Amino acid sequence: MAVDVEGGNLGPYQDRPRTFPNMRGKSYNPLIFRILMRINVRVLFVILLLALGVVFYVGASTSPIIVFVFSTCIISFLVSMYLAKWVLAKDEGPPEMGQISDAIRDGAEGFFRTQYGTISKMAILLASVILCIYLFRRPTPQQEASGLGRFTSAYITVAAFLLGALCSGAAGYVGMWVSVRANVRVSSAARRSAREALQIAVRAGGFSALVVVGMAVLGIAILYAIFYVWLEVDSPGSMKITDLPLLLVGYGFGASFVALFAQLGGGIYTKAADVGADLVGKVEQGIPEDDPRNPAVIADLVGDNVGDCAARGADLFESIAAEIISAMILGGTMAQRCKIEDASGFILFPLVVHSFDLVISSVGIFSIRGTRDSSGKASSEDPMKILQRGYSVTILLAVLTFGASTRWLLYTEQAPSAWFNFALCGLVGIITAYVFVFITQYYTDYKHEPVRTLALASSTGHGTNIIAGVSLGLESTALPVLVISVSIISAYWLGQTSGLIDENGIPTGGLFGTAVATMGMLSTAAYVLTMDMFGPIADNAGGIVEMSQQPESVREITDVLDAVGNTTKATTKGFAIGSAALASFLLFSAYMDEVAAFAREPFKQVDIAIPEVFVGGLLGSMLIFLFSAWACSAVGRTAQEVVKEVRRQFIEKPGIMEYKEKPDYARCVAIVASASLREMIKPGVLAIISPIAVGIVFRIFGYYNGQPLLGAKVVASMLMFATVSGILMALFLNTAGGAWDNAKKYIETGVLGGKGSDCHKAAVTGDTVGDPFKDTAGPSLHVLIKMLATITLVMAPVFL
């Protein structure tokens, strides 16, 4: 953490509250950036051209489709650079705004450096374990036929794992880098126009989204192309192209591993600081949110960046990587069973879909333009409607490009109409995404009845607010589950009736149809991430406006944007849960195929009537509840430390309330940072160790009972039950937390007594309860679900 912030050297506290103390510490840039900055610009340009030349040469040696993917990703990076330049060209406002933003940036970058240092050490340790396992495992028949030995397979898996972890960490840094620089520019723009502030926040989020999605697609494409050329795929006596996607599983596991710990650590940080700041500041002292007199306010604003931006960037990166890899595996498997001559289209289809995602999401981002409103107050048009209009544009373009992609890549002479069925599968996924967004918005936006009913429950006390919030969260699980169920069955049926059959005449397109629906759901992922990043940037902007004591009209604008940001964050979390459900289903199918390949016998069903298998299911459900409990209790313990520290400062420094003494912001930042790093270890290790331990124990048990596949069956049951329980739990936690938050925001608009009333205090209590739900346990759960699926896929040999 920056020296000045960590040491508390914040300068003298001024009597004039708007002359905010200088809190700027030493700037931090990652090592790779410092190295690149020392290289001559011309030399760097030549190196970049050579690297691009090598990449395109490898791509051209693989497939023209790969060249198209490379080109689209590079263009999207250029667009993201334009967005970053456009955002950074905006003014930072008066000096007090810049000083607050600098303090937030120092705290966020310091925590990021420490957190990812810890994660990298754990990743290297896990990579060593994977290497040892793969060095001593038996190869599959496909690997034996292609001459791929144990050593090569082991090093490929470990390299893919480390690359996935590195790219996931980079995605998290990109998400945080833009947010800590855009927040102050949004604050400054809010002094002039609500629409301009909205546009800056959206374009800042768009920069992060395009880079994250582009990195996910480009990383997998490069890895695929390198393996294709290096292993001489489809040459006589070498690996078949249909088996190549299995080598990419390590990449998805690495991305999941980093995303889980990033989400846990960042979620604990942001919500512990938020809870501590709200309980003492709002409830006990009666001061506004983000008031500069609150010692925990800087830690709270830092948490928005490390929890909502860095963690969400790594999270969506992992979601896209898992979905692409699972779809590539199923596409290759189906093409092999159907004896399709050129399987490259079915395998590379997910990469093309997400390449088009970059294009259409860019159009959606640029469709949101800034027009200065005359009043300077809240925009005459609802910001949520503006964002929805951009999303509608993106959805429309997604339908068109998805249909074109299926006709281009999924057309085959064996079933001429199959591409149309798969296009309909994609349409099912796109509709599912849109419906998920609508359902989540209905349950979390205070313009709709559920949140207003929850706010009304606050008028009768804290207890009724909690009861109403819990019941709302439980109810909110019903519609999403029905939508997921209909989409899975519809997509599977469309795939089965596509006309693709195996050599025995059995339809085989069902699972791939589900994969295509998952791709359809994520075909607008870049725009969805843009809306997600918009939330914490707007939240930070509101905090900077409050701390720098800007006019009330400016705070009104940021409050509106903040409320919309709460809804978009909840919406994208619902979207992520839906995609996690479909992606986990695909990864589970890939796991079944992988076990069958290693066991050299069919493995198509798991009978939960077998006692051991049923126990595996119970353990999977238990894992979800135990993980959630540990994540929430981690926030609670850390928040208690913050509450004690904030209370201590108010008691020992009574002049804080009158701006005569300065709060020790650095102390709260240090408490939250150290505690969150400590607390993220236990639930994270639980998630990694549990499936491996269960698989090994029941493998040994099965060995002595004459059931060689018992370990694999129990792990499969564990994965199924954990996925179902995790989806329901995540839906409950995310929706309840978002509803509690916006019920508080609704009251703060002036209804039911407004700020400071007893009703408002009850709503703050509900919001405090919901904080670890929606920003720690809930988001971590859908990452956990996908990580369980990838870890079982990677560790499949251990269970046999």
Side-chain angles (χ1 to χ4, degrees):
M1 200 150 305
V3 175
D4 288 349
V5 174
E6 195 166 287
N9 182 22
L10 306 182
Y13 194 77
Q14 305 292 329
D15 290 336
R16 293 175 57 204
R18 290 190 62 185
T19 307
F20 207 78
N22 182 12
M23 298 182 293
R24 184 69 175 127
K26 295 181 179 179
S27 60
Y28 166 73
N29 285 315
L31 178 62
I32 185 65
F33 287 1
R34 296 199 296 270
I35 293 174
L36 292 176
M37 290 170 64
R38 294 176 183 174
I39 301 176
N40 182 274
V41 175
R42 294 181 179 178
V43 174
L44 191 62
F45 183 72
V46 172
I47 293 174
L48 181 61
L49 284 179
L50 288 174
L52 286 175
V54 171
V55 167
F56 273 95
Y57 173 77
V58 173
S61 303
T62 305
S63 169
I65 302 172
I66 291 292
V67 176
F68 169 79
V69 172
F70 285 168
S71 302
T72 308
C73 290
I74 290 172
I75 292 172
S76 73
F77 289 150
L78 295 176
V79 173
S80 66
M81 289 172 62
Y82 166 77
L83 290 175
K85 185 178 179 181
W86 186 89
V87 170
L88 296 177
K90 299 296 180 180
D91 70 283
E92 296 187 4
E96 60 267 20
M97 282 188 175
Q99 290 163 2
I100 298 166
S101 174
D102 289 343
I104 296 170
R105 187 186 311 172
D106 285 343
E109 291 180 341
F111 177 75
F112 183 91
R113 182 170 67 252
T114 306
Q115 181 191 29
Y116 277 76
T118 304
I119 293 174
S120 62
K121 294 174 184 176
M122 293 189 291
I124 292 173
L125 177 62
L126 184 57
S128 303
V129 174
I130 296 173
L131 180 64
C132 294
I133 291 173
Y134 271 67
L135 285 176
F136 294 100
R137 75 166 193 173
R138 55 181 177 177
T140 63
Q142 294 88 344
Q143 291 172 345
E144 289 179 345
S146 63
L148 188 66
R150 293 182 181 180
F151 286 94
T152 305
S153 177
Y155 288 118
I156 283 176
T157 304
V158 170
F161 171 81
L162 292 176
L163 179 62
L166 178 65
C167 290
S168 183
Y173 181 76
V174 167
M176 184 200 69
W177 185 89
V178 67
S179 65
V180 297
R181 288 162 176 80
N183 51 15
V184 68
R185 291 167 170 84
V186 175
S187 301
S188 178
R191 298 178 304 147
R192 300 183 293 273
S193 163
R195 190 68 177 265
E196 183 185 353
L198 171 69
Q199 186 186 25
I200 293 173
V202 168
R203 290 197 171 188
F207 160 77
S208 176
L210 293 178
V211 172
V212 168
V213 177
M215 282 178 54
V217 176
L218 188 63
I220 294 175
I222 289 176
L223 207 59
Y224 177 91
I226 290 174
F227 290 162
Y228 185 96
V229 174
W230 176 36
L231 300 174
E232 299 179 348
V233 173
D234 272 350
S235 300
S238 62
M239 176 177 283
K240 295 180 180 179
I241 190 173
T242 52
D243 296 325
L244 181 56
L246 284 169
L247 299 179
L248 305 175
V249 172
Y251 185 89
F253 182 30
S256 299
F257 175 82
V258 171
L260 179 66
F261 281 97
Q263 192 69 68
L264 275 172
I268 293 169
Y269 188 114
T270 182
K271 290 302 105 181
D274 195 5
V275 169
D278 283 355
L279 285 180
V280 183
K282 287 184 180 180
V283 178
E284 295 182 7
Q285 299 295 328
I287 58 178
E289 185 172 0
D290 300 325
D291 191 286
R293 292 168 291 181
N294 194 325
V297 68
I298 291 293
D300 184 12
L301 295 175
V302 168
D304 291 335
N305 295 283
V306 299
D308 290 332
C309 292
R312 293 295 293 154
D315 179 5
L316 194 70
F317 177 92
E318 176 268 338
S319 296
I320 295 171
E323 177 262 326
I324 290 176
I325 293 170
S326 59
M328 292 175 75
I329 292 172
L330 292 176
T333 302
M334 188 191 69
Q336 186 177 28
R337 290 175 179 172
C338 296
K339 306 296 181 183
I340 296 174
E341 292 184 6
D342 184 9
S344 60
F346 289 86
I347 294 172
L348 299 178
F349 179 68
L351 294 174
V352 173
V353 169
H354 284 292
S355 297
F356 278 122
D357 172 19
L358 294 168
V359 176
I360 63 177
S361 295
S362 298
V363 175
I365 292 165
F366 281 106
S367 70
I368 299 175
R369 299 180 178 274
T371 55
R372 186 169 299 183
D373 45 344
S374 57
S375 65
K377 293 186 178 182
S379 176
S380 57
E381 188 173 6
D382 182 5
M384 193 68 205
K385 291 183 178 178
I386 299 172
L387 293 175
Q388 285 178 328
R389 188 162 59 242
Y391 185 52
S392 298
V393 170
T394 309
I395 285 282
L396 177 62
L397 293 174
V399 173
L400 298 176
T401 56
F402 205 95
S405 300
T406 52
R407 180 61 180 83
W408 174 26
L409 298 174
L410 303 185
Y411 178 81
T412 174
E413 294 292 341
Q414 294 175 235
S417 63
W419 72 270
F420 184 72
N421 279 49
F422 290 128
L424 293 178
C425 291
L427 184 61
V428 167
I430 293 172
I431 293 173
T432 300
Y434 195 84
V435 173
F436 248 87
V437 168
F438 175 78
I439 291 172
T440 310
Q441 182 184 342
Y442 173 74
Y443 278 107
T444 56
D445 193 336
Y446 63 58
K447 296 181 181 65
H448 300 289
E449 182 182 357
V451 174
R452 295 194 175 200
T453 303
L454 176 57
L456 184 62
S458 305
S459 62
T460 53
H462 301 251
T464 51
N465 171 278
I466 300 300
I467 294 170
V470 170
S471 63
L472 185 151
L474 293 171
E475 178 188 319
S476 70
T477 62
L479 287 178
V481 168
L482 292 175
V483 171
I484 292 174
S485 302
V486 171
S487 64
I488 289 177
I489 294 173
S490 300
Y492 188 88
W493 180 82
L494 286 169
Q496 283 290 88
T497 58
S498 64
L500 290 171
I501 56 176
D502 63 12
E503 56 188 5
N504 298 319
I506 300 174
T508 59
L511 284 176
F512 187 69
T514 309
V516 174
T518 308
M519 286 180 261
M521 189 170 186
L522 286 170
S523 61
T524 57
Y527 189 86
V528 171
L529 181 59
T530 298
M531 291 196 298
D532 187 63
M533 291 293 182
F534 164 84
I537 292 172
D539 191 1
N540 254 211
I544 292 173
V545 166
E546 181 68 37
M547 290 192 71
S548 59
Q549 307 233 332
Q550 299 299 311
E552 186 64 25
S553 60
V554 181
R555 182 67 198 191
E556 287 176 7
I557 290 175
T558 55
D559 279 347
V560 171
L561 296 179
D562 187 16
V564 171
N566 285 334
T567 303
T568 59
K569 285 191 293 183
T571 297
T572 50
K573 287 168 187 171
F575 174 89
I577 294 168
S579 63
L582 294 176
S584 298
F585 178 70
L586 303 181
L587 289 167
F588 178 76
S589 302
Y591 167 75
M592 302 280 280
D593 291 338
E594 183 81 343
V595 170
F598 279 107
R600 309 190 184 198
E601 62 179 271
F603 186 63
K604 297 181 179 180
Q605 295 179 343
V606 178
D607 186 0
I608 62 171
I610 299 173
E612 295 89 348
V613 176
F614 182 73
V615 167
L618 286 177
L619 293 174
S621 297
M622 177 213 68
L623 172 63
I624 297 300
F625 283 84
L626 184 59
F627 178 88
S628 302
W630 285 1
C632 290
S633 64
V635 174
R637 284 191 296 269
T638 308
Q640 289 175 22
E641 296 182 41
V642 177
V643 167
K644 291 176 182 177
E645 174 60 26
V646 175
R647 284 174 176 168
R648 181 192 67 79
Q649 291 196 37
F650 276 125
I651 292 172
E652 296 181 3
K653 298 181 178 182
I656 288 177
M657 292 297 293
E658 300 176 359
Y659 298 98
K660 294 180 180 179
E661 293 183 82
K662 69 170 185 179
D664 187 356
Y665 303 105
R667 178 60 184 160
C668 289
V669 170
I671 288 173
V672 178
S674 60
S676 58
L677 291 174
R678 180 180 67 250
E679 296 285 355
M680 76 177 184
I681 302 297
K682 188 168 73 169
V685 171
L686 172 72
I688 296 171
I689 296 297
S690 296
I692 299 175
V694 168
I696 292 175
V697 168
F698 281 95
R699 173 192 174 180
I700 296 172
F701 189 77
Y703 175 80
Y704 287 105
N705 287 275
Q707 302 179 65
L709 293 181
L710 183 61
K713 290 178 180 178
V714 171
V715 169
S717 176
M718 182 181 189
L719 181 57
M720 283 191 295
F721 279 67
T723 299
V724 172
S725 302
I727 291 168
L728 293 171
M729 178 68 82
L731 284 169
F732 162 69
L733 295 174
N734 283 330
T735 309
W740 267 316
D741 196 350
N742 269 348
K744 178 197 70 177
K745 294 290 183 187
Y746 179 56
I747 294 172
E748 289 174 350
T749 62
V751 302
L752 300 174
K755 294 182 180 180
S757 63
D758 289 339
C759 184
H760 181 242
K761 290 180 179 180
V764 170
T765 300
D767 179 36
T768 302
V769 173
D771 276 341
F773 283 19
K774 67 183 175 68
D775 286 321
T776 308
S780 298
L781 273 178
H782 67 255
V783 180
L784 169 67
I785 292 168
K786 288 172 287 186
M787 198 194 75
L788 288 175
T790 53
I791 196 172
T792 52
L793 189 55
V794 171
M795 297 293 183
V798 178
F799 311 140
L800 299 172

